[in-house]
Coordinates of all heavy atoms in Angstrom, one line a residue:
T1 N 115.2 151.8 45.6 CA 116.4 152.6 46.2 C 117.4 151.7 46.5 O 117.2 150.7 47.2 CB 115.8 153.4 47.5 OG1 114.7 154.1 47.1 CG2 116.9 154.2 48.1
A2 N 118.6 152.0 46.0 CA 119.8 151.3 46.5 C 120.6 152.0 47.7 O 120.5 153.2 47.6 CB 120.8 151.2 45.3
R3 N 120.9 151.3 48.6 CA 121.5 152.0 49.7 C 123.0 151.4 49.9 O 123.2 150.2 49.7 CB 120.8 151.5 51.1 CG 121.6 152.0 52.3 CD 120.8 152.0 53.5 NE 119.7 153.1 53.3 CZ 118.8 153.4 54.2 NH1 118.8 152.7 55.4 NH2 117.9 154.5 54.0
F4 N 123.9 152.2 49.9 CA 125.4 152.0 50.0 C 125.8 152.4 51.4 O 125.7 153.6 51.8 CB 126.1 152.9 48.9 CG 125.7 152.5 47.5 CD1 124.7 153.1 47.1 CD2 126.4 151.7 46.8 CE1 124.3 152.8 45.7 CE2 126.1 151.3 45.5 CZ 124.9 152.0 45.0
F5 N 126.0 151.4 52.2 CA 126.4 151.6 53.7 C 127.9 151.3 54.0 O 128.3 150.2 53.6 CB 125.5 150.6 54.6 CG 125.5 151.0 55.9 CD1 124.8 151.9 56.6 CD2 126.4 150.1 56.7 CE1 124.9 152.2 57.8 CE2 126.4 150.4 58.2 CZ 125.6 151.4 58.7
Y6 N 128.5 152.2 54.6 CA 129.8 152.0 55.1 C 130.2 153.1 56.1 O 129.7 154.2 56.2 CB 130.7 152.3 53.8 CG 130.7 153.6 53.3 CD1 131.6 154.7 53.7 CD2 129.7 153.9 52.2 CE1 131.4 155.9 53.1 CE2 129.7 155.1 51.7 CZ 130.5 156.2 52.2 OH 130.3 157.4 51.6
K7 N 131.0 152.5 57.0 CA 131.6 153.5 58.1 C 130.3 154.2 58.9 O 130.5 155.5 59.2 CB 132.6 154.5 57.8 CG 133.9 153.9 57.4 CD 134.9 155.0 57.1 CE 136.3 154.5 56.9 NZ 137.2 155.6 56.6
D8 N 129.3 153.5 59.2 CA 128.1 154.2 59.9 C 127.6 155.4 59.1 O 126.7 156.2 59.7 CB 128.5 154.6 61.3 CG 128.8 153.5 62.2 OD1 128.3 152.4 62.0 OD2 129.7 153.7 63.2
V9 N 127.6 155.5 57.7 CA 127.2 156.3 56.9 C 126.5 155.5 55.8 O 126.9 154.5 55.3 CB 128.2 157.2 56.2 CG1 127.8 158.1 55.3 CG2 128.9 158.0 57.3
Y10 N 125.3 156.1 55.2 CA 124.8 155.6 54.0 C 124.4 156.6 53.1 O 124.1 157.7 53.4 CB 123.6 154.7 54.4 CG 122.3 155.3 55.0 CD1 121.4 155.9 54.0 CD2 122.1 155.5 56.3 CE1 120.4 156.6 54.5 CE2 121.1 156.1 56.8 CZ 120.1 156.6 55.9 OH 119.0 157.2 56.4
I11 N 124.5 156.1 51.7 CA 124.0 157.0 50.6 C 123.0 156.2 49.9 O 123.1 155.1 49.6 CB 125.2 157.4 49.7 CG1 126.2 158.1 50.4 CG2 124.7 158.0 48.5 CD1 127.5 158.2 49.6
D12 N 121.8 156.9 49.7 CA 120.7 156.3 48.9 C 120.7 156.7 47.7 O 120.8 158.0 47.3 CB 119.4 156.5 49.6 CG 119.1 155.6 50.9 OD1 119.9 154.8 51.0 OD2 118.2 156.1 51.7
R13 N 120.4 155.9 46.6 CA 120.2 156.2 45.2 C 119.0 155.7 44.7 O 118.8 154.5 44.7 CB 121.5 155.7 44.4 CG 122.7 156.4 44.6 CD 122.9 157.7 43.8 NE 124.0 158.5 44.2 CZ 125.1 158.5 43.8 NH1 125.4 157.8 42.6 NH2 126.1 159.3 44.0
V14 N 118.0 156.5 44.3 CA 116.7 156.0 43.7 C 117.1 155.8 42.1 O 117.7 156.4 41.5 CB 115.7 157.2 43.8 CG1 114.4 156.8 43.2 CG2 115.4 157.5 45.3
F15 N 116.5 154.6 41.7 CA 116.6 154.1 40.3 C 115.4 153.4 39.9 O 114.6 152.9 40.6 CB 117.8 153.4 40.3 CG 118.0 152.1 40.9 CD1 117.7 150.8 40.1 CD2 118.1 151.9 42.2 CE1 117.7 149.7 40.7 CE2 118.1 150.7 42.8 CZ 117.9 149.5 42.0
T16 N 115.3 153.4 38.5 CA 114.4 152.4 37.9 C 115.2 151.4 37.1 O 116.5 151.6 36.8 CB 113.6 153.1 37.1 OG1 114.2 153.9 36.1 CG2 112.7 154.2 37.7
G17 N 114.6 150.3 36.7 CA 115.3 149.3 36.0 C 116.1 148.5 37.0 O 115.8 148.2 38.2
N18 N 117.3 148.0 36.5 CA 118.2 147.1 37.2 C 119.6 147.6 37.5 O 120.3 146.9 38.1 CB 118.3 145.8 36.5 CG 116.9 145.0 36.3 OD1 116.1 145.2 37.1 ND2 116.7 144.2 35.3
T19 N 119.8 148.8 37.0 CA 121.3 149.4 37.4 C 121.0 150.7 38.0 O 120.2 151.5 37.9 CB 122.0 149.6 36.0 OG1 121.2 150.5 35.2 CG2 122.2 148.3 35.2
V20 N 122.2 151.0 38.7 CA 122.4 152.2 39.5 C 123.8 152.6 39.6 O 124.6 151.7 39.9 CB 121.6 152.1 41.0 CG1 122.4 151.1 41.8 CG2 121.7 153.5 41.7
D21 N 124.2 153.9 39.6 CA 125.5 154.3 39.7 C 126.0 154.1 41.2 O 125.1 154.5 42.0 CB 125.7 155.8 39.2 CG 125.5 155.9 37.8 OD1 125.7 154.8 37.1 OD2 125.1 157.0 37.3
V22 N 127.1 153.8 41.4 CA 127.8 153.6 42.6 C 128.3 155.1 43.0 O 129.0 155.7 42.2 CB 128.8 152.6 42.8 CG1 129.6 152.7 44.1 CG2 128.4 151.3 42.4
P23 N 128.0 155.7 44.3 CA 128.6 157.0 44.7 C 130.1 156.8 44.7 O 130.7 155.7 45.1 CB 128.0 157.3 46.0 CG 127.5 155.8 46.5 CD 127.2 155.0 45.4
E24 N 130.8 157.8 44.6 CA 132.2 157.9 44.8 C 132.6 157.5 46.3 O 132.1 158.1 47.0 CB 133.0 159.1 44.3 CG 134.4 159.1 44.5 CD 135.0 160.5 44.0 OE1 134.3 161.3 43.6 OE2 136.3 160.5 44.1
L25 N 133.5 156.5 46.4 CA 133.7 156.1 47.7 C 135.3 156.4 48.1 O 136.0 156.5 47.2 CB 133.5 154.6 47.9 CG 132.1 154.1 47.5 CD1 132.0 152.5 47.4 CD2 131.1 154.6 48.4
A26 N 135.5 156.6 49.3 CA 136.8 156.8 49.7 C 137.3 156.3 51.2 O 136.4 156.3 52.0 CB 137.1 158.4 49.9
N27 N 138.5 155.7 51.2 CA 139.1 155.2 52.4 C 138.3 154.2 53.0 O 138.0 154.1 54.3 CB 139.2 156.4 53.4 CG 140.4 157.3 52.9 OD1 141.4 157.0 52.4 ND2 140.2 158.6 53.2
I28 N 137.7 153.2 52.3 CA 137.0 152.2 52.9 C 137.5 150.9 52.4 O 138.1 150.8 51.4 CB 135.4 152.2 52.8 CG1 135.2 152.3 51.3 CG2 135.0 153.5 53.5 CD1 133.6 152.1 51.1
S29 N 137.2 149.7 53.1 CA 137.6 148.4 52.6 C 136.4 147.5 52.3 O 136.6 146.6 51.7 CB 138.6 147.7 53.6 OG 137.8 147.6 54.8
L30 N 135.2 148.1 52.6 CA 134.1 147.2 52.4 C 132.8 148.1 52.3 O 132.7 149.1 53.2 CB 133.8 146.2 53.6 CG 132.6 145.2 53.4 CD1 132.9 144.2 52.3 CD2 132.3 144.7 54.7
V31 N 132.0 147.9 51.4 CA 130.7 148.6 51.2 C 129.5 147.6 51.3 O 129.7 146.4 50.6 CB 130.6 149.6 50.0 CG1 130.7 148.8 48.7 CG2 129.4 150.4 50.1
K32 N 128.4 147.8 51.9 CA 127.2 147.0 51.9 C 126.3 147.7 50.9 O 126.0 148.8 51.1 CB 126.8 146.8 53.3 CG 127.6 146.2 54.3 CD 127.1 146.3 55.7 CE 128.1 145.8 56.7 NZ 127.6 145.9 58.1
I33 N 125.8 146.9 50.1 CA 124.8 147.3 49.1 C 123.5 146.5 49.2 O 123.6 145.3 49.0 CB 125.4 147.3 47.5 CG1 126.7 148.0 47.6 CG2 124.4 147.8 46.7 CD1 127.6 147.9 46.4
G34 N 122.4 147.3 49.3 CA 121.1 146.7 49.5 C 120.1 147.5 48.6 O 120.3 148.6 48.2
V35 N 118.9 146.8 48.5 CA 117.8 147.6 47.8 C 116.5 147.5 48.5 O 116.3 146.4 49.3 CB 117.6 146.8 46.3 CG1 116.6 147.6 45.6 CG2 118.9 146.8 45.5
F36 N 115.8 148.5 48.4 CA 114.5 148.5 49.1 C 113.5 149.3 48.3 O 113.8 150.2 47.5 CB 114.5 149.0 50.6 CG 115.0 150.3 50.8 CD1 113.9 151.4 50.8 CD2 116.4 150.7 50.8 CE1 114.4 152.8 51.0 CE2 116.7 152.1 51.0 CZ 115.7 153.1 51.0
T37 N 112.2 148.9 48.5 CA 111.0 149.8 48.0 C 110.1 150.1 49.2 O 110.5 149.8 50.3 CB 110.3 148.9 47.1 OG1 109.5 147.9 47.6 CG2 111.2 148.5 45.8
E38 N 108.9 150.5 49.0 CA 108.0 150.7 50.1 C 107.5 149.4 50.7 O 107.3 149.4 51.9 CB 106.8 151.4 49.5 CG 105.7 152.0 50.5 CD 104.6 152.8 49.8 OE1 105.0 153.8 49.3 OE2 103.6 152.4 49.9
D39 N 107.7 148.3 49.9 CA 107.2 147.0 50.4 C 108.1 145.9 50.6 O 107.9 144.9 51.3 CB 106.1 146.5 49.4 CG 104.9 147.4 49.2 OD1 104.5 148.1 50.3 OD2 104.5 147.7 48.0
I40 N 109.3 146.1 50.0 CA 110.3 145.0 50.0 C 111.7 145.5 50.4 O 112.0 146.7 50.0 CB 110.5 144.3 48.5 CG1 109.0 144.1 47.9 CG2 111.2 142.9 48.7 CD1 109.1 143.6 46.5
T41 N 112.4 144.7 50.9 CA 113.9 145.1 51.1 C 114.8 143.8 51.1 O 114.3 142.7 51.2 CB 114.1 145.7 52.5 OG1 115.4 146.2 52.6 CG2 113.8 144.8 53.7
T42 N 116.2 144.0 50.8 CA 117.0 142.9 50.7 C 117.9 143.0 51.9 O 118.1 143.9 52.6 CB 117.9 143.0 49.4 OG1 118.7 144.1 49.6 CG2 117.0 143.2 48.2
T43 N 118.8 141.9 52.0 CA 119.9 141.9 52.9 C 121.0 142.7 52.1 O 120.9 142.9 50.9 CB 120.6 140.5 53.1 OG1 120.8 139.9 51.8 CG2 119.4 139.5 53.8

């Protein structure tokens, strides 16, 4: 699961493989993107 976090809001996108589509973003200057599974997570 990729998490797109901005302005105290997040959107999760489940994916397989190594690529995931970015949700449409608006009125922001920074997005934090991380990945997690049931067992592992990233910064």
Side-chain angles (χ1 to χ4, degrees):
T1 303
R3 176 163 288 178
F4 299 85
F5 185 83
Y6 57 94
K7 289 187 174 182
D8 295 328
V9 172
Y10 66 85
I11 298 171
D12 287 345
R13 292 275 169 98
V14 176
F15 69 104
T16 59
N18 294 335
T19 62
V20 63
D21 292 337
V22 176
E24 184 177 355
L25 305 171
N27 292 322
I28 63 171
S29 58
L30 183 73
V31 62
K32 298 174 185 177
I33 304 171
V35 181
F36 62 93
T37 69
E38 189 175 298
D39 301 319
I40 318 168
T41 188
T42 70
T43 62

